[in-house]
Amino acid sequence: MKLSPVQAAIAAVACNLAGPDAYAQAMSWDPSWAFSGFGTVAYVQTNTDLGLFAGPAQPGGASTDGTFGVDSKIGGQINAKANAVFSGTVQVLSQRNGDGNFKPSVDWAFAKAQVTPELAVRVGRIGAPLFAVSDFRNVGYSNLWVRPPLDVYGQVGFSHFDGADAIYQASVAGIDLTTQVLYGSTETVNGGSPVHIRHQAALNFTAEFDDGITLRVGRLQAKLSVDNAALTHLVSVLDSTPFAAVGNEVSATDKSASFTGVGLAIDHDNWVGSVEYTKRKTSSYVSSTTGWAATGGYRIGKFTPFAVVSRLKVDSSNVDNTIPASVPQVAPLAAAVNGLIASQDLSQKTASAGLRWDAWNNIDVKAQYDRVTPDGDRGLFNNVKPGFGNAAVNVYSVAVDFVF
């Protein structure tokens, strides 16, 4: 087979790093491919019509009417292999997105070069390694919960980046160690507004111990921009007043942002559990937050009852609104800034209990109850109305997950 210039270049790198054997493998042709898929059909209902329960970045959501839209999804994945060095993966996913529809999108699409047995390089659209279950957060069958705890996973509204990463794996004293570095960008939509997360640079470290214990530590830094006409107009007006400093704090144009996460998971004998702690920081109106979640479950035959406690706390609004609300000429501006700050008052706590039943081969059935208590007027709920907040909301979910 004749190699393209790009393939030849990567083959040369493989040769230089790993010697003649790697080059011979890169030049060989031994193609294969495999298709797999996954999906979830889930129904969610709450006990209130004053706010809508939704997933990360989704508009709308569930109320007393109930909906299949929050957690239902279907995805397909093709893994293709050219030889022992070169391979590629494409994953297409359909779930409710930031525009509120189920338009299928390409979640993964990357080429991979296994440069040495320990080192792999990927280029393309790659899953963003922000959380403990980042690679399979959309595969309900791989998770204990109906959905990952929103007090942690609701802090970030994207799941992939376009760029490149390098992954190095080694075993030391019986511990499997993985180090990942990446650089890239993400274009997504959150609640109808385009969001750009550019110049992403991240470092992730994972250690897998005996007895089913896994530790993960990661940090990502980036530049954040939000395209929203009302936000742009507000900043423009503030810039023309003595309160331009407030406008700079509100602005979400090319602002610094970071996300840090630490996770510990255990799967030993019949016990399963995890603890995850995360921090989001920005220098814009998008609030800086801390989230944590703890999960515990115990397998009894084909049934696994589990419980989750979690917390999301706003550390800072990042905006010091110095506009005097008592001055009639600028009171509307003060109110507009305060309204924007209030929209980012996401603090809430959640207590959950559920049951997973591995009913058939590659199919599970789950039921989950969440008691979500916003600290203020909204938490992570959408379209909140007067009277919502500072009171618990009951969320009822049933789901069927499958893989094929």
Side-chain angles (χ1 to χ4, degrees):
M1 183 194 78
K2 184 178 180 180
L3 297 178
S4 71
V6 173
Q7 290 174 317
I10 298 177
V13 172
C15 176
N16 290 333
L17 290 177
D21 289 344
Y23 182 77
Q25 290 177 350
M27 295 295 290
S28 68
W29 177 245
D30 184 22
S32 63
W33 68 277
F35 174 80
S36 60
F38 58 90
T40 296
V41 178
Y43 179 82
V44 187
Q45 185 175 337
T46 76
N47 69 332
T48 183
D49 291 319
L50 299 179
L52 300 178
F53 178 83
Q58 293 177 348
S63 63
T64 57
D65 292 335
T67 179
F68 285 93
V70 173
D71 300 299
S72 296
K73 62 179 71 73
I74 190 164
Q77 180 172 312
I78 294 177
N79 295 307
K81 180 179 177 182
N83 49 40
V85 174
F86 297 112
S87 61
T89 299
V90 175
Q91 183 184 103
V92 176
L93 178 66
S94 175
Q95 64 177 352
R96 179 174 284 171
N97 55 33
D99 289 319
N101 59 54
F102 284 81
K103 182 179 179 180
S105 63
V106 178
D107 209 40
W108 297 354
F110 60 82
K112 176 181 176 182
Q114 191 68 45
V115 181
T116 72
E118 298 82 16
L119 176 64
V121 177
R122 300 185 296 180
V123 178
R125 177 163 292 182
I126 302 166
L130 300 171
F131 302 103
V133 296
S134 293
D135 282 348
F136 48 91
R137 62 186 290 188
N138 289 317
V139 184
Y141 185 81
S142 297
N143 298 311
L144 185 60
W145 331 276
V146 169
R147 69 190 68 84
L150 292 178
D151 293 346
V152 171
Y153 289 74
Q155 295 175 93
V156 178
F158 66 96
S159 61
H160 62 250
F161 70 95
D162 297 327
D165 72 354
I167 300 173
Y168 186 83
Q169 296 177 307
S171 183
V172 178
I175 304 172
D176 294 329
L177 304 176
T178 302
T179 302
Q180 179 186 19
V181 294
L182 67 85
Y183 184 85
S185 63
T186 301
E187 310 292 325
T188 187
V189 177
N190 190 324
S193 297
V195 178
H196 316 277
I197 308 98
R198 301 188 175 110
H199 304 297
Q200 296 178 40
L203 173 64
N204 291 279
F205 175 78
T206 303
E208 297 181 49
F209 301 86
D210 291 337
D211 298 326
I213 299 175
T214 301
L215 170 68
R216 177 198 168 273
V217 180
R219 179 175 174 84
L220 178 142
Q221 295 188 175
K223 292 292 186 179
L224 169 69
S225 295
V226 179
D227 294 343
N228 180 279
L231 176 64
T232 300
H233 177 71
L234 176 60
V235 173
S236 177
V237 171
L238 289 168
D239 285 346
S240 65
T241 72
F243 308 104
V246 177
N248 181 59
E249 292 177 342
V250 167
S251 172
T253 300
D254 202 32
K255 290 299 190 71
S256 296
S258 67
F259 192 79
T260 306
V262 179
L264 181 68
I266 182 171
D267 190 337
H268 180 67
D269 293 336
N270 291 329
W271 290 99
V272 291
S274 64
V275 178
E276 197 161 2
Y277 179 88
T278 54
K279 290 188 76 71
R280 180 184 80 182
K281 291 185 177 182
T282 85
S283 57
S284 72
Y285 81 95
V286 178
S287 58
S288 296
T289 57
T290 295
W292 62 265
T295 301
Y298 188 83
R299 298 188 189 93
I300 305 171
K302 293 186 175 182
F303 295 89
T304 307
F306 62 89
V308 188
V309 290
S310 59
R311 184 81 163 93
L312 175 61
K313 177 179 175 292
V314 173
D315 299 319
S316 175
S317 69
N318 303 318
V319 178
D320 181 15
N321 187 6
T322 58
I323 305 172
S326 59
V327 178
Q329 292 85 347
V330 295
L333 270 182
V337 173
N338 285 332
L340 187 64
I341 294 172
S343 73
Q344 288 293 304
D345 185 11
L346 309 178
S347 295
Q348 64 177 41
K349 55 181 175 288
T350 307
S352 308
L355 178 68
R356 170 176 172 145
W357 171 34
D358 287 285
W360 296 276
N361 187 33
N362 299 333
I363 298 175
D364 71 45
V365 179
K366 296 172 185 170
Q368 183 169 318
Y369 165 74
D370 303 287
R371 185 174 178 84
V372 186
T373 307
D375 289 349
D377 293 332
R378 59 168 293 128
L380 289 173
F381 289 79
N382 291 333
N383 300 350
V384 296
K385 301 175 182 178
F388 183 85
N390 294 303
V393 176
N394 298 323
V395 182
Y396 312 97
S397 307
V398 290
V400 177
D401 302 308
F402 54 91
V403 294
F404 56 91

